[in-house]
């Protein structure tokens, strides 16, 4: 059997042409037979993308016959697709156009470069033809978007892309200007946005026509919310076609003036004249000529939906124009532009200060109109808060000169706003302000965030949900499982059945969303300014976050839904509370660790991931230590990459190699395992026996070269000069004797305690000095038998003369002081341990 007739597995190249021919035979229609089931095209597209049937990318070792067979199969595919796209039957034409867009995405680069011009002309005919049905035009716009997306990835195709996209502008404008709304509008706008994004200069000659067509559709009131968002996004991309700063500034000014005009009509009888005058003065300073109106004369000649109330049409227009401003801030622009922030803040203030109430001295307003605006104002407030969010995100630290006005506006607004959606957005803006402007802004936001969070996180709102989660049978009987009643006073380890936790939570969805936003704002405040004037609020916030997390976890951990999001937000805020710097160590560290430990048991959930990350982050608080920057045990670092080993040598000078730092609670020697006596305080307190201090006997040898020392380094020893140290001997008659300097002592194996001090010796001389000291550490120990011979004393003197600096464990003055204090005391007066902190100086 030939090699090309066998298929080894699903990755074999021989499978791809066979599968492609099978799809053509079984599922793709032809010109002779009727197209009965259009839904099978989804399977065809899925198979092509999954197996990359059109890529023609075979391994180099493939047989030439296989490659030729695959190329012939792709040729058959393209011929069938192009023939279908030219068919007069609408359903077959639609199928061919859809498959041609998939072919543009999936074919090889060489085939696309050779064929994209012909494919574009084939699609352009359907876009220009008025006889084609609307769903054919929709498919044509979608396939053209795919073609231009693939064309933008080619490095040398920009000129061709601009030339081809210019041919589409007039057909697209004609389709947009049709008075009858249909689904083709959305695909037309999407294709126009794609051209503006990748080939913006192709619309430069048609700028005014595109602006008029977009604004006409936007102001007509005949579009659904999804269409309005796409129109607003397309209008915000339009300044890219001019490619200069003036285009962006002019578009922003037009939109702001249009919003202000719409607000004048909508807020009659709802606001004071002074506020309106102030906003207009900032938008258009005196003596400055106004720009041309947005969309030219399209507002006067456009048709309006007569079935929509005028007030509702005004709110819809204002909301869409605000969305355009948001997109102008968030979209990238090729040039740096100067943004006037004060007019935007004035517009936001004008909208947020209107609450639907009518003040005395203002023009009369009917009750029906007032009721309508009160029902629509939350939507308008929500959009204007989105605008403030876009301003803060778009400008970042450049907003600092004007941030005071925004903070005052938000502070006044959140005090009066009670709607959950609006409070969530205010919290989000404050969070972005904290993260973008840093610790300086936290001083001005601390009070408003803490006070409102304390109110929104009131556990009386959460206790009902927690009670439902603990006692679901008291609120619903949808669960048929037999389970024990869990008491609210039970321990955190007792978790009831979690299958019934989700019942009864829908009435509190909005309140839980507000709590999540408040927790996220508190988390940002603790991360940025947790230590900034924290004495007045930090304790209350720490207690609050611990209580909130405990109550959220009382009924067990949720696997999904809004309750899980609330639990994760509480855990993250608690983690920020524990990690945020303060005057003292975290007071609730042990309780927080218990909560995180319990959360890690929920394997495979978001809660477990959050808790695992929290425990990792808290490791620095659980085991504080300062590890050395370099591992000097070996200068060869081996890295395993794949199946090969690579070695890298690190050359360190002698001075750097011998001056290492070992500070903190970690006292393990270089040859000890990580878990060997890591707790310093436990080593100090491990035995209750008295500490016997015995003088070193010069006549007895001691060998400490093979013993791993336990060390406690004195940071102040680096600055002390090198001089001899003295040991103190306490005899049975309680008489202290001064003895000669010692260098090392042998530690008793079982029944004697030691306090050992490690010092690093600076190597400054020749190899002879290294031979004198075989170990890097010079250990001085206090034990029951401190013995050194004359040779050891001589080695220390020679090392001192050679330039070694040996830090002292007990200075001469301290030794004299102990001798004077102990002259008249008995053996029992000597304490068991030194009465100082283990890591103190």
């Amino acid at each position: 059997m030939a090699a090309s007739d066998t298929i080894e597995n699903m990755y074999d190249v021989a499978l791809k042409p066979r599968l492609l021919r099978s799809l053509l035979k079984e599922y793709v229609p032809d010109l002779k037979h009727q197209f009965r089931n259009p839904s099978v095209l989804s399977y065809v597209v899925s198979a092509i993308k999954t197996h990359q049937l059109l890529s023609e990318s075979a391994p180099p070792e493939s047989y030439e016959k296989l490659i030729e067979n695959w190329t012939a199969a792709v040729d058959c595919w393209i011929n069938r697709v192009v023939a279908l796209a030219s068919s007069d039957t609408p359903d077959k034409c639609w199928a061919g156009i859809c498959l041609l867009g998939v072919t543009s995405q999936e074919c090889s680069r060489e085939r696309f470069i050779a064929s994209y011009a012909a494919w574009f002309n084939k699609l352009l005919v359907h876009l220009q033809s008025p006889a084609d049905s609307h769903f054919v035009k929709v498919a044509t716009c979608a396939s053209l978007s795919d073609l231009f997306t693939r064309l933008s990835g080619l490095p040398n195709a920009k000129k061709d892309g601009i030339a081809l996209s210019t041919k589409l502008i007039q057909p697209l404008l004609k389709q947009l200007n049709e008075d009858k709304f249909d689904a083709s509008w959305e695909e037309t706008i999407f294709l126009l946005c794609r051209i503006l994004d990748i080939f913006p200069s192709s619309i430069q000659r048609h700028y005014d026509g595109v602006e008029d067509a977009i604004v006409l559709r936007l102001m007509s009131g005949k579009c659904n919310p999804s269409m309005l968002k796409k129109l607003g996004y397309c209008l915000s991309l339009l300044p890219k076609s001019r490619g200069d700063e003036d285009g962006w500034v002019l578009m922003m000014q037009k939109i702001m003036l249009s919003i202000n005009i719409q607000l004048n009509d909508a807020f009659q009888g709802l606001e004071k004249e002074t506020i309106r005058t102030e906003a207009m003065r900032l938008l258009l300073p005196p003596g400055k000529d106004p720009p041309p109106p947005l969309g030219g004369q399209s507002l006067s000649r456009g048709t309006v939906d007569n079935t929509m109330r005028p007030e509702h049409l005004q709110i819809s227009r204002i909301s869409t124009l605000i969305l355009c401003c948001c997109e102008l801030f968030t979209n990238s622009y090729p040039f740096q532009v100067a943004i006037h922030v004060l007019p935007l803040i004035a517009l936001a203030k004008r909208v947020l200060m209107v609450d639907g109430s009518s003040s005395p001295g203002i023009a009369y307003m009917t009750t029906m109109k007032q009721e309508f605006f009160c029902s629509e104002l939350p939507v308008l407030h929500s959009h204007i808060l989105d605008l403030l969010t876009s301003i803060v995100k778009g400008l970042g630290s450049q907003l600092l000169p004007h941030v005071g006005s925004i903070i005052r506006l938000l502070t006044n607004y959140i005090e009066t706003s009670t709607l959950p959606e609006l409070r969530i957005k205010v919290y989000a803006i404050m969070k972005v302000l904290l993260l973008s402007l840093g610790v300086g802004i936290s001083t001005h936001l601390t009070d408003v965030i803490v006070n409102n969070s304390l109110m929104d996180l009131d556990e009386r709102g959460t206790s009902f949900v927690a009670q439902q989660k603990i006692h679901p049978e008291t609120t619903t009987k949808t669960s048929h499982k037999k389970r024990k009643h869990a008491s609210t006073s039970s321990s955190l380890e007792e978790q009831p059945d979690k299958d019934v936790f989700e019942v009864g939570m829908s009435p509190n969805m909005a309140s839980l969303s507000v709590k999540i936003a408040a927790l996220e704002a508190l988390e940002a405040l603790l991360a940025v300014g947790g230590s900034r004037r924290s004495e007045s609020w930090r304790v209350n916030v720490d207690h609050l976050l611990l209580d909130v997390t405990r109550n959220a976890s009382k009924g067990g951990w949720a696997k999904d839904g809004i309750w899980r999001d609330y639990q994760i937000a509480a855990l993250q805020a608690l983690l920020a509370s524990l990690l945020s710097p303060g005057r003292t160590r975290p007071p609730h560290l042990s309780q927080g660790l218990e909560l995180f430990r319990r959360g890690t048991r929920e394997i495979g959930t978001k809660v477990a991931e959050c808790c695992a990350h929290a425990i990792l982050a808290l490791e620095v608080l659980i085991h504080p230590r300062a590890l050395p920057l370099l591992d000097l045990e070996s200068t060869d670092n081996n890295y395993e990459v794949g199946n090969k080993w690579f070695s890298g040598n690190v050359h360190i000078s002698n001075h750097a190699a011998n001056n290492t730092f070992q500070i903190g609670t970690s006292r393990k020697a270089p040859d000890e395992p990580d878990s060997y006596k890591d707790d310093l305080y436990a080593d100090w307190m491990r035995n209750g026996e008295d500490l016997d201090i015995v003088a070193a006997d010069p006549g007895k040898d001691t060998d400490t070269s093979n013993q791993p020392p336990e060390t406690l380094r004195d940071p102040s020893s680096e600055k002390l000069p090198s001089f001899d140290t003295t040991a103190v001997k306490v005899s049975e008659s309680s008489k202290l004797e001064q003895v000669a300097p010692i260098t090392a002592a042998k530690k008793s194996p079982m029944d004697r305690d030691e306090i050992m001090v490690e010092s690093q010796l600076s190597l400054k001389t020749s190899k002879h000095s290294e031979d004198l000291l075989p170990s890097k550490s010079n250990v001085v120990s206090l034990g029951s038998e401190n013995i050194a011979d004359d040779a050891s004393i001589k080695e220390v003197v020679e090392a001192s003369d050679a330039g070694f600096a040996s830090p002292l464990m007990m200075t001469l003055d301290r030794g004299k002081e102990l001798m004077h204090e102990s002259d008249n005391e008995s053996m029992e007066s000597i304490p068991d341990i030194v009465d100082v902190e283990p890591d103190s100086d």
Side-chain angles (χ1 to χ4, degrees):
M1 183 179 292
S4 60
D5 295 335
T6 61
I7 297 177
E8 296 180 358
N9 49 43
M10 64 179 180
Y11 307 108
D12 192 1
V13 178
L15 173 65
K16 300 182 184 299
R18 289 187 176 186
L19 186 56
L20 187 59
R21 294 181 186 276
S22 176
L23 292 176
L24 283 173
K25 180 179 179 181
E26 300 292 337
Y27 300 103
V28 179
D30 55 16
L31 298 179
K32 298 180 180 179
H33 301 85
Q34 187 178 0
F35 188 28
R36 298 182 179 276
N37 189 8
S39 61
V40 298
L41 291 184
S42 60
Y43 170 74
V44 174
V45 173
S46 176
I48 289 173
K49 292 183 177 181
T50 301
H51 296 278
Q52 300 179 353
L53 300 181
L54 303 179
S55 62
E56 300 181 70
S57 57
E61 63 273 10
S62 301
Y63 291 98
E64 184 178 356
K65 185 178 180 180
L66 286 176
I67 298 176
E68 294 177 354
N69 188 20
W70 193 3
T71 302
V74 175
D75 291 338
C76 294
W77 167 271
I78 292 178
N79 293 334
R80 176 79 64 84
V81 168
V82 173
L84 289 174
S86 305
S87 175
D88 296 332
T89 307
D91 54 350
K92 293 182 180 180
C93 181
W94 170 82
I97 291 173
C98 293
L99 294 178
L100 189 59
V102 176
T103 306
S104 300
Q105 291 179 324
E106 298 295 325
C107 69
S108 64
R109 180 177 177 179
E110 293 77 11
R111 190 177 290 273
F112 179 79
I113 292 175
S115 307
Y116 72 85
W119 296 345
F120 172 80
N121 293 327
K122 183 69 65 175
L123 295 173
L124 181 61
V125 172
H126 296 287
L127 192 64
Q128 294 174 338
S129 175
D132 287 333
S133 60
H134 290 294
F135 68 91
V136 171
K137 291 185 177 180
V138 170
T140 302
C141 292
S143 296
L144 285 171
S145 298
D146 296 336
L147 188 144
F148 279 110
T149 301
R150 180 70 183 274
L151 189 61
S152 63
L154 301 180
N156 300 324
K158 183 177 180 180
K159 184 176 180 180
D160 292 341
I162 294 174
L164 296 179
S165 58
T166 303
K167 299 179 181 180
L168 293 176
I169 305 303
Q170 288 295 343
L172 293 177
L173 291 179
K174 181 180 179 181
Q175 194 164 339
L176 278 178
N177 289 327
E178 293 180 357
D179 191 45
K180 185 179 179 181
F181 172 76
D182 53 42
S184 63
W185 278 8
E186 294 193 23
E187 289 299 330
T188 302
I189 290 296
F190 183 80
L191 177 58
L192 198 58
C193 292
R194 178 63 62 187
I195 295 174
L196 281 168
D197 196 22
I198 57 181
F199 302 118
S201 59
S202 60
I203 306 182
Q204 187 172 4
R205 293 186 298 174
H206 308 277
Y207 184 93
D208 294 334
V210 174
E211 179 182 335
D212 293 347
I214 295 175
V215 175
L216 177 64
R217 295 297 101 195
L218 191 148
M219 298 295 183
S220 64
K222 299 180 180 180
C223 302
N224 54 33
S226 175
M227 184 65 183
L228 288 176
K229 290 182 180 180
K230 292 182 180 180
L231 287 170
Y233 177 71
C234 187
L235 187 63
S236 66
L237 292 177
L238 196 56
K240 284 187 175 183
S241 62
R242 292 190 171 179
D244 56 2
E245 178 184 355
D246 296 336
W248 191 95
V249 175
L250 181 62
M251 177 60 70
M252 177 62 75
Q253 192 175 13
K254 286 182 178 181
I255 294 175
M256 288 191 298
L257 287 173
S258 181
I259 292 174
N260 192 66
I261 293 173
Q262 298 293 327
L263 290 177
N264 291 339
D265 298 335
F267 285 173
Q268 287 183 0
L270 296 175
E271 64 177 352
K272 297 180 180 180
E273 188 66 27
T274 56
I275 299 177
R276 180 184 304 182
T277 305
E278 180 185 1
M280 189 62 191
R281 181 181 59 84
L282 293 173
L283 288 170
L284 191 63
K288 186 176 181 180
D289 297 333
L294 182 65
Q297 304 298 324
S298 59
L299 293 181
S300 59
R301 64 179 174 85
T303 59
V304 180
D305 188 3
N306 297 324
T307 61
M308 184 180 295
R309 292 188 55 172
E311 296 86 356
H312 184 74
L313 182 61
Q314 288 176 344
I315 298 297
S316 176
R317 290 175 176 177
I318 295 171
S319 300
T320 308
L321 291 174
I322 292 174
L323 177 63
C324 294
C325 292
C326 296
E327 296 292 345
L328 281 172
F329 275 105
T330 56
N331 291 334
S332 61
Y333 197 68
F335 291 89
Q336 187 175 0
V337 296
I339 301 174
H340 301 284
V341 181
L342 288 179
L344 291 167
I345 298 177
L347 282 178
K349 180 179 179 182
R350 183 180 178 185
V351 174
L352 294 179
M353 289 186 66
V354 174
D355 58 358
S357 61
S358 180
S359 301
I362 301 180
Y364 175 75
M365 172 181 257
T366 62
T367 304
M368 185 178 295
K369 183 178 180 181
Q370 186 177 10
E371 290 177 356
F372 175 80
F373 272 106
C374 288
S375 65
E376 294 292 331
L377 271 178
V379 178
L380 201 56
H381 284 193
S382 178
H383 287 295
I384 210 68
L385 289 174
D386 291 337
L387 176 60
L388 288 177
T389 304
S390 301
I391 293 173
V392 174
K393 289 182 178 180
L395 296 183
S397 59
Q398 300 179 13
L399 189 63
L400 195 58
H402 311 287
V403 73
S405 302
I406 296 179
I407 291 177
R408 286 191 297 269
L409 180 60
L410 294 176
T411 302
N412 296 331
Y413 183 73
I414 198 173
E415 296 296 335
T416 59
S417 177
T418 59
L419 296 179
E421 180 185 359
L422 303 181
R423 294 185 69 85
I424 290 171
K425 293 192 175 183
V426 174
Y427 278 126
I429 296 173
M430 293 181 179
K431 177 184 175 181
V432 176
L433 282 174
L434 285 170
L435 297 178
S436 59
L437 299 180
V439 66
I441 206 65
S442 64
T443 305
H444 307 281
L445 288 175
T446 298
D447 291 340
V448 61
I449 291 178
V450 171
N451 293 335
N452 286 276
S453 297
L454 290 174
M455 179 180 63
D456 289 330
L457 293 173
D458 185 4
E459 289 306 310
R460 290 176 299 178
T462 309
S463 61
F464 175 70
V465 180
Q467 185 177 4
Q468 286 181 322
K469 292 164 70 63
I470 297 173
H471 301 286
E473 59 272 9
T474 61
T475 57
T476 183
K477 297 183 179 180
T478 56
S479 177
H480 300 285
K481 295 185 178 181
K482 295 181 180 180
R483 51 187 298 275
K484 295 181 180 180
H485 292 264
S487 174
T488 55
S489 61
S490 61
S491 64
L492 292 178
E493 296 292 336
E494 299 177 1
Q495 300 182 11
D497 194 338
K498 290 177 284 187
D499 292 338
V500 293
F501 286 167
E502 301 300 327
V503 297
M505 290 178 55
S506 56
N508 297 279
M509 292 291 185
S511 62
L512 283 179
S513 300
V514 176
K515 293 176 189 295
I516 293 173
L519 288 170
E520 291 176 350
L522 283 177
E523 180 187 358
L525 178 63
L526 290 168
V528 175
S531 60
R532 180 74 172 175
R533 299 178 182 178
S534 60
E535 61 275 1
S536 60
W537 60 272
R538 182 63 186 274
V539 176
N540 294 333
V541 170
D542 292 340
H543 281 284
L544 172 68
L545 294 178
L546 180 64
D547 293 340
V548 167
T549 309
R550 278 177 169 176
N551 292 333
S553 62
K554 277 184 179 178
W557 303 105
K559 296 185 181 298
D560 53 12
I562 187 68
W563 188 256
R564 182 206 59 182
D565 298 337
Y566 175 63
Q567 290 176 337
I568 292 177
L571 290 170
Q572 291 175 345
L574 179 61
L575 175 61
S577 172
L578 298 176
L579 293 178
S580 180
R583 294 177 177 269
T584 59
R585 289 175 63 87
H588 310 301
L589 180 59
S590 60
Q591 296 92 327
L593 286 173
E594 174 64 15
L595 289 170
F596 292 131
R597 183 186 64 82
R598 288 182 51 242
T600 55
R601 298 176 182 174
E602 305 295 320
I603 301 174
T605 62
K606 294 291 184 180
V607 171
E609 295 179 6
C610 177
C611 292
H613 169 73
I615 292 177
L616 177 63
L618 291 173
E619 178 66 21
V620 296
L621 294 179
I622 304 171
H623 301 107
R625 66 189 67 197
L627 301 176
L629 298 178
L630 295 175
D631 183 11
L632 300 178
E633 287 297 307
S634 174
T635 58
D636 294 334
N637 296 323
N638 296 324
Y639 303 92
E640 183 179 5
V641 180
N643 295 325
K644 299 181 180 180
W645 285 85
F646 298 92
S647 298
N649 295 326
V650 181
H651 302 284
I652 306 173
S653 63
N654 290 334
H655 180 75
N658 290 278
N659 287 278
T660 60
F661 297 89
Q662 299 181 10
I663 305 172
T665 61
S666 178
R667 303 197 299 124
K668 71 182 185 67
D671 55 349
E672 293 177 352
D674 291 340
S675 61
Y676 180 74
K677 295 181 180 179
D678 190 48
D679 193 349
L680 178 62
Y681 189 75
D683 287 346
W684 281 63
M685 297 292 295
R686 69 176 175 269
N687 287 329
E689 301 176 358
D690 294 338
L691 179 66
D692 297 331
I693 306 177
V694 182
D697 187 358
K700 188 173 181 179
D701 295 336
T702 302
D703 185 12
T704 62
S705 60
N706 296 326
Q707 177 182 352
E710 286 183 275
T711 61
L712 174 63
R713 184 175 173 276
D714 188 357
S716 62
S717 62
E718 292 184 355
K719 299 182 180 179
L720 296 176
S722 175
F723 59 92
D724 295 330
T725 61
T726 61
V728 179
K729 178 180 74 174
V730 182
S731 63
E732 294 180 357
S733 61
S734 303
K735 182 177 180 181
L736 299 175
E737 296 180 6
Q738 183 174 352
V739 297
I742 59 176
T743 59
K746 187 172 183 179
K747 182 178 178 181
S748 180
M750 295 295 293
D751 57 350
R752 288 182 294 271
D753 298 329
E754 297 178 340
I755 302 174
M756 311 183 71
V757 179
E758 177 187 14
S759 64
Q760 301 291 337
L761 298 180
S762 301
L763 185 59
K764 297 182 179 179
T765 57
S766 63
K767 183 68 171 61
H768 174 70
S769 300
E770 298 180 359
D771 296 333
L772 292 176
L773 294 177
S775 175
K776 291 183 180 180
S777 301
N778 187 24
V779 179
V780 180
S781 63
L782 290 179
S784 59
E785 293 181 4
N786 290 333
I787 302 173
D789 55 5
D790 295 336
S792 301
I793 301 174
K794 184 177 179 181
E795 288 177 2
V796 172
V797 174
E798 291 177 357
S800 177
D801 295 338
F804 291 99
S806 176
L808 66 97
M809 184 190 89
M810 186 180 295
T811 62
L812 183 60
D813 294 337
R814 179 60 178 163
K816 293 180 179 180
E817 181 180 355
L818 286 176
M819 288 189 291
H820 288 303
E821 293 176 356
S822 304
D823 281 338
N824 299 322
E825 294 180 358
S826 63
M827 186 65 182
E828 288 76 11
S829 64
I830 299 178
D832 292 340
I833 62 172
V834 180
D835 190 15
V836 293
E837 292 294 331
D839 54 353
S840 64
D841 294 338

